[in-house]
Amino acid sequence: ISPRRTCPQAFLLLTIFMAFVILVLSVSMVSFAPQYSTYGSQTYPNEEKDDVRCQIDVPKSALAQGRCQMTQIAQFYNRIVLGRHFWAVIFFYSQWIFLGFIGIWMLVAIARRTRSTVNDGIEGSEDEDDF
């Protein structure tokens, strides 16, 4: 990106792409860390007056008090998963396929290390007095 040479359409495309990336990361958080991304660190007092972390099976009294509110991204995710089962299955398997490709790519990158040209230059000089 250079000043006065980048088209406004490029910035628009970059903005749309970044919005999709943020949406995907937010929805993926629900899959990777469901407890935290659904309720965060919310607690409610139980019968013994101890603070208990919010879960799916929270008592109705805690909900009536306005405690244990689901996050917006968890509500969005649950609406998709529970309302459209076909897309939920596609989303689940596509995440695992993506992680599989990332794992394979990392193994290939580790196995196929490039040789450093700096080391070749040092090993190639036999006479150390040239410096």
Side-chain angles (χ1 to χ4, degrees):
I1 299 176
S2 56
R4 297 187 183 151
R5 292 188 180 176
T6 307
C7 298
Q9 293 86 358
F11 285 120
L12 181 63
L13 263 154
L14 180 68
T15 305
I16 292 170
F17 180 73
M18 292 302 294
F20 279 128
V21 167
I22 290 171
L23 176 68
V24 167
L25 289 175
S26 298
V27 171
S28 294
M29 278 295 292
V30 178
S31 296
F32 298 137
Q35 175 62 36
Y36 180 74
S37 60
T38 303
Y39 291 108
S41 60
Q42 298 179 47
T43 59
Y44 68 94
N46 62 0
E47 296 83 30
E48 293 85 29
K49 302 295 181 195
D50 295 329
D51 283 342
V52 179
R53 292 192 70 133
C54 294
Q55 295 179 356
I56 291 290
D57 58 350
V58 67
K60 292 188 189 243
S61 61
L63 291 175
Q65 294 173 357
R67 299 183 180 245
C68 298
Q69 297 292 321
M70 278 185 144
T71 59
Q72 293 293 318
I73 197 69
Q75 289 177 1
F76 174 71
Y77 178 79
N78 287 335
R79 208 173 295 138
I80 291 173
V81 169
L82 298 176
R84 294 159 187 89
H85 303 290
F86 178 71
W87 292 113
V89 171
I90 289 175
F91 179 72
F92 177 77
Y93 285 114
S94 66
Q95 279 190 331
W96 283 107
I97 290 170
F98 174 75
L99 289 175
F101 278 122
I102 292 294
I104 292 170
W105 175 81
M106 287 177 61
L107 289 175
V108 168
I110 290 170
R112 195 192 304 173
R113 285 196 165 158
T114 58
R115 290 183 11 175
S116 174
T117 57
V118 175
N119 291 338
D120 290 341
I122 293 172
E123 291 172 1
S125 69
E126 296 172 8
D127 192 14
E128 294 180 9
D129 296 332
D130 291 341
F131 296 102

